Amino acid sequence: MQFQKLREVTNLDTSKKLPFEYYQRYDVVVTNPPFGDWIASRKEKERIIHDTFNGHVELTKRLKLEHLMAGIALQSMKETGRAALILHGHQ
């Protein structure tokens, strides 16, 4: 992305709450999250989900890492923005 001279490329840690200045900031978001197990304790997952998805900790059992990353990416996009998200298909 930097090679293509995009104006700003960020690399945020999705285990941390999205900093306020990134909410609805971008016209375009692109994410290709890793597909695999989310290695975190239940308590840590609940904290991240609480911070990211308005306290819906019942998602802890079903939410996967790619879902979390997609949600955070979409939070950073302007309401009129566009997104390209690569998501894992379930069998």
Side-chain angles (χ1 to χ4, degrees):
M1 290 183 186
Q2 290 171 334
F3 178 74
Q4 294 175 348
K5 300 191 191 296
L6 295 177
R7 188 171 11 162
E8 183 177 358
V9 177
T10 59
N11 182 7
L12 299 172
D13 181 352
T14 56
S15 68
K16 308 283 189 268
K17 188 173 183 176
L18 186 65
F20 179 77
E21 63 269 15
Y22 287 100
Y23 280 90
Q24 296 188 348
R25 177 178 178 173
Y26 298 103
D27 296 313
V28 176
V29 295
V30 178
T31 184
N32 182 7
F35 303 108
D37 292 333
W38 184 6
I39 310 296
S41 69
R42 180 178 179 88
K43 186 175 181 177
E44 182 68 5
K45 286 181 181 181
E46 286 177 354
R47 181 196 61 78
I48 293 166
I49 290 168
H50 181 271
D51 290 348
T52 306
F53 297 107
N54 298 320
H56 294 290
V57 292
E58 68 275 2
L59 294 172
T60 305
K61 295 178 184 176
R62 295 185 297 278
L63 197 73
K64 296 186 179 208
L65 182 59
E66 62 261 29
H67 302 145
L68 174 66
M69 292 180 73
I72 290 171
L74 292 173
Q75 287 177 338
S76 71
M77 185 178 70
K78 293 178 182 176
E79 288 187 28
T80 57
R82 294 181 181 212
L85 308 173
I86 299 173
L87 300 174
H88 183 82
H90 299 282
Q91 300 174 356

